[in-house]
């Protein structure tokens, strides 16, 4: 347990993030009455769910020492698969199925290239980042698909007890992922791979199979996120999810997951997501300057890791 | 070292053969591809990527990465525009150009300090800067495009000297300078030493910190230089300049055979990869497969990276990297 690089530190990091989040919410609520009302918060969180779902898969991948730059582009490809299937068959279930299958296949391809040819995940997913978006643009030729019917467009918009349907989906997935990572053998093995994949291999962990599985999971989540995305806009186009990968990685890293692998929790990612989301909302609405949001989020990312590294070094002597 | 050398040559030979093959095929369809005008256009297109790739190569050789160059290009473009435009400060070129270069080098130095002194992984620092610098650019441009750059600058960028735009001259000088640094100066050897084994380098008394600072600072400087020669060619300065430029540059460096884990790579490979990557779009245009073809540019670019790295993996001697089953 103590080998899994400072689980105490993990909890400590989450507490600090939570403190920051509460502090931010207090300041925001004081400066802008009405910012904290449940209704406005829920209204403003409509676009959060796709990011949040992608962040779960990304957390597992980064904890295992990998990275997936292709999730945003995979969403583009999934959206096109969704649109084309719907246009051909008029069956919404088939379209959803095709969307998920495309995502799963995209993730499997990433994983297969990484594990089979022993390539660096950054390079493989940089290649598929360009390739998936390019294939989506190539086969759809810039066409956009829409009018998927009222029932489908309600999927992302309808609420049940004030909370939108994708919210329940995310909470369910987040709890499952958190349990798997923290409490199951697979979770232990993911930490082991991220910490030292050679050592994990010699301890009998099926390293390659597990990594393949993680990328496939991330791809499947990209397919799922696309369904919500398409439902929300009622349009499927090759540019779906553009730039999502960077926001997702930012949230995961701010949430305390080490980019070198071996450290990170789902809880941290969720808090990181909320922290970035609320920072954006607050900055955007208080100063009414949209551009300031990206400056603040970018600096938040650098400063959070900088501070963490400084504390780590003080606590453990000289830790890389 | 001796074992790796033939592999490197494979990569460069492969790239060169591919470039020649594509050129032959396209010019057999349309000889206009080899016309002076088109060749000049392609060289101009290559120039900014080639300039920045020289710095990026050194960064990646030290086993770091810089994905903020696209946003830095936008920031330096906005700064250059505000300093030089006649609608804004209207400063002299003698102040504006060095100030732009200094800004680029300064941001590069900051990145390097955060990575080496702050111990923040370079991908995180530059991911943060990718977002932050783009935001800062839109902030200082205040939603307006900047025009009215001094004509001496725009003319140099468009027409240049001896019929060749200044970008090509600058790219050639930067390539030469980088070659000299890598091949003939101790800095070059130290950069490679730090990248191939930081512990061995440290044991030999080399400063990892100084080499990385140099690489990041050089990349920032070159990004500003690329902005100075590329941006005045455009009708006006927008905040979207350099979007996804970082990915193109990293792609070129990787396809050129530079190992992402550091310590390995040649300048020749990188240049050939830059040429190949910039050729994709003009080639698709010249083949006249119609509008449809250009939409596949991204897909082809991705395929090149995949083929390049898979080829590497297959050619890799079994005792390097592939130690386990």
């Amino acid at each position: 347990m103590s080998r899994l690089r400072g689980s105490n530190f993990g909890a400590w990091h989450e507490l600090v993030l939570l403190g920051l989040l509460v502090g931010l919410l207090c300041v925001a609520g004081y400066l802008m009455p009405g910012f904290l009302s449940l209704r406005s918060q829920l209204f403003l969180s409509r676009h959060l769910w796709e990011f949040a779902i992608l962040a779960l898969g990304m957390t597992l991948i980064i904890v295992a020492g990998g990275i997936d730059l292709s999730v945003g582009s995979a969403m583009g490809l999934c959206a096109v698969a969704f649109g084309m299937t719907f246009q051909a068959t008029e069956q919404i279930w088939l379209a959803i199925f095709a969307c998920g299958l495309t995502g799963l296949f995209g993730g499997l391809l990433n994983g297969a290239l990484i594990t089979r040819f022993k390539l660096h995940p950054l390079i493989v997913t940089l290649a598929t980042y360009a390739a998936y978006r390019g294939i989506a643009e190539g086969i759809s030729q810039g066409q956009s698909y829409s009018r998927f019917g009222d029932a489908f467009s309600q999927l992302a918009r309808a609420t049940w007890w004030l909370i939108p349907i994708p919210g329940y989906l995310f909470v369910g997935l987040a709890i499952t992922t958190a349990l798997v990572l923290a409490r199951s053998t697979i979770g232990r093995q993911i930490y082991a791979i991220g910490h030292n994949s050679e050592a994990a291999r010699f301890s009998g962990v099926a390293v390659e199979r597990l990594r393949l599985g993680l990328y496939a999971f991330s791809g499947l989540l990209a397919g799922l996120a696309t369904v919500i995305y398409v439902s929300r806009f009622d349009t499927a186009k090759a540019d779906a999810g553009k730039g999502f990968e960077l926001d997702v990685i930012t949230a995961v890293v701010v949430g305390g997951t080490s980019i070198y692998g071996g450290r990170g929790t789902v809880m941290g990612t969720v808090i990181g997501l909320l922290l970035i989301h609320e920072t954006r909302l607050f900055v955007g609405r208080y100063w009414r300057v949209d551009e300031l949001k990206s400056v603040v989020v970018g600096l938040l990312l650098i400063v959070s890791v900088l501070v963490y590294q400084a504390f780590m070094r003080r606590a453990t002597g000289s830790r890389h | 070292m001796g074992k790796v050398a033939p592999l490197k040559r494979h990569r460069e030979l492969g790239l060169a053969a591919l470039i020649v093959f594509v050129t032959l095929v396209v010019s057999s369809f349309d000889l206009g591809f080899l016309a002076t005008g088109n060749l000049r256009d392609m060289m101009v297109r290559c120039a900014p990527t080639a300039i920045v790739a020289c710095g990026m190569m050194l960064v990646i050789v030290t086993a770091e990465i810089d994905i903020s160059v696209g946003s830095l290009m936008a920031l330096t473009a906005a700064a250059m525009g505000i300093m030089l435009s006649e609608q804004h400060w209207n400063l002299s070129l003698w102040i504006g150009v060095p100030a732009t270069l200094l800004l680029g080098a300064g941001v590069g130095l900051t990145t390097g300090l955060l990575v080496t002194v702050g111990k923040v992984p370079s991908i995180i620092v530059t991911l943060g800067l990718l977002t932050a610098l783009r935001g800062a650019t839109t902030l200082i441009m205040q939603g307006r495009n900047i025009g009215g750059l001094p004509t001496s600058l725009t003319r140099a960028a468009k027409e240049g000297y001896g019929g060749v735009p200044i970008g090509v001259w600058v790219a050639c000088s930067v390539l030469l300078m980088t070659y000299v640094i890598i091949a003939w100066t101790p800095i070059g050897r130290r950069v490679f030493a730090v990248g191939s084994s930081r512990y061995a380098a440290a044991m030999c008394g080399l400063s990892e910190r100084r080499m990385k600072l140099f690489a990041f600072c050089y990349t920032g400087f070159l990004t500003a230089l690329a902005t100075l020669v590329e941006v005045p060619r455009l009708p006006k300065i927008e905040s979207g300049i350099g979007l996804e430029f970082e990915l193109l540059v990293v792609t070129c460096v990787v396809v050129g055979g530079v190992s992402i884990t550091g310590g390995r790579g040649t300048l020749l490979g990188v240049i050939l990869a830059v040429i190949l990557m910039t050729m994709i779009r003009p080639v698709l245009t010249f083949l006249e497969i119609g509008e449809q073809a250009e939409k596949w540019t991204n897909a082809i670019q991705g395929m090149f990276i995949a083929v390049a790295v898979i080829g590497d993996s297959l050619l890799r001697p079994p005792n390097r990297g592939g130690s386990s089953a």
Side-chain angles (χ1 to χ4, degrees), chain B residues 39-58:
Chain B
L39 289 183
R40 201 187 66 166
D41 280 356
M42 290 208 291
M43 276 163 76
V44 173
R45 269 169 202 264
C46 280
T49 323
I51 295 172
V52 180
C54 286
M56 183 72 78
M57 176 194 167
L58 293 186

Side-chain angles (χ1 to χ4, degrees), chain A residues 17 20-21 24 254 271-279 300:
Chain A
L17 281 177
L20 268 178
L21 181 62
L24 176 75
V254 167
I271 301 175
L273 269 169
L274 287 175
L275 190 59
I276 286 180
H277 173 68
E278 296 295 340
T279 309
L300 181 70

